[in-house]
Amino acid sequence: MELFFITSNDGKVREAKKFLEPLGINVIKKPLEYPEIQADTLEDVVVFGLNWLKDKVDKPFIIEDSGLFIEALNGFPGVYSAYVYKTIGLDGILKLMEGIENRKAYFKSVIGFYDGEIHLFVGEVRGRISNEKRGLHGFGYDPIFVPDGFDKTFAEMSTEEKNSVSHRGKALKEFYRWMKENLKK
Ligand code: ITT
Ligand code: NA
């Protein structure tokens, strides 16, 4: 089947393709703008986006909202992750974390799928903020996030390796599991 991924982010599309294409789902990036509301949760942002898009797109489609939640910063940047990345960036986050011993953080991904009804698929990965940027792969905050059980950052992993532990990999897995059970292909 063909599945539109409505996003501006090539990194997200690369990961979704790597995960879903071997399973027979052809992911097509559709850079259609939709309003991202200022909300307290990623889920609220996704539900609003799906409701806004549902009558404007005919093919089955997904959107995704994600964020990095740093414990010592009370969950910042969280739902503001995209804005913070574009403004203070990785160096800004590292600066905020200077001298802070608790470097625990988690990434969360919420995938929204619309088929006449709204379906959400969620994934999280726990880890920590590194002391410096490392690695050239991935995108966004990948160079400063070390997932639990590893000594390397997401940016030091291949797409497959990142998918096998990441928030997005987990959400994609939930999505695929649901698709297999609920949709005739
Ligand atoms: P959309 O068009 O899909 O909204 P976006 O890049 O604006 O793309 P979000 O609104 O979901 O994405 O914002 C999430 C922010 O967190 C953004 O700055 C990403 O770079 C970052 N981010 C999300 N997933 C990430 C990951 O797997 N690794 C590193 N950074 C990530
Ligand atoms: Na966005």
Side-chain angles (χ1 to χ4, degrees):
M1 71 173 274
E2 291 195 330
L3 177 72
F4 281 149
F5 190 173
I6 300 178
T7 178
S8 62
N9 186 315
D10 289 328
K12 291 183 179 181
V13 176
R14 190 166 52 232
E15 291 173 14
K17 274 183 182 286
K18 195 58 134 208
F19 190 94
L20 294 172
E21 292 200 339
L23 303 170
I25 299 174
N26 182 18
V27 178
I28 302 162
K29 180 188 175 191
K30 198 165 165 73
L32 187 66
E33 295 282 325
Y34 62 91
E36 277 184 45
I37 55 160
Q38 200 92 109
D40 289 342
T41 67
L42 301 174
E43 284 87 347
D44 287 348
V45 176
V46 171
V47 167
F48 186 91
L50 286 177
N51 278 318
W52 192 87
L53 285 162
K54 65 187 184 193
D55 300 322
K56 301 180 176 72
V57 188
D58 351 294
K59 276 220 174 82
F61 70 93
I62 56 170
I63 59 175
E64 195 243 26
D65 205 49
S66 37
L68 175 66
F69 297 76
I70 301 175
E71 193 173 281
L73 305 179
N74 297 322
F76 183 85
V79 291
Y80 308 110
S81 292
Y83 181 73
V84 169
Y85 180 74
K86 280 181 264 178
T87 52
I88 66 170
L90 302 183
D91 293 326
I93 293 288
L94 289 176
K95 195 151 213 130
L96 285 175
M97 293 299 287
E98 257 170 32
I100 296 181
E101 234 168 86
N102 174 12
R103 306 192 70 89
K104 282 188 206 158
Y106 68 92
F107 264 120
K108 179 170 175 176
S109 158
V110 178
I111 292 175
F113 176 69
Y114 185 78
D115 67 348
E117 275 177 74
I118 282 175
H119 305 277
L120 300 184
F121 306 92
V122 178
E124 290 186 12
V125 57
R126 303 196 156 272
R128 61 187 189 279
I129 303 300
S130 58
N131 291 307
E132 69 288 305
K133 294 182 271 185
R134 292 200 314 259
L136 300 170
H137 302 289
F139 66 96
Y141 296 98
D142 282 345
I144 62 166
F145 185 83
V146 178
D148 282 354
F150 290 81
D151 286 320
K152 53 187 174 182
T153 68
F154 269 165
E156 294 177 297
M157 296 182 176
S158 67
T159 302
E160 285 97 332
E161 190 173 21
K162 182 183 166 188
N163 269 344
S164 73
V165 288
S166 78
H167 51 313
R168 185 164 302 99
K170 289 174 184 166
L172 286 166
K173 196 170 175 182
E174 289 304 310
F175 169 63
Y176 178 69
R177 188 178 295 168
W178 182 89
M179 292 280 279
K180 230 173 37 183
E181 278 174 21
N182 290 276
L183 294 189
K184 281 178 239 122
K185 281 194 243 119

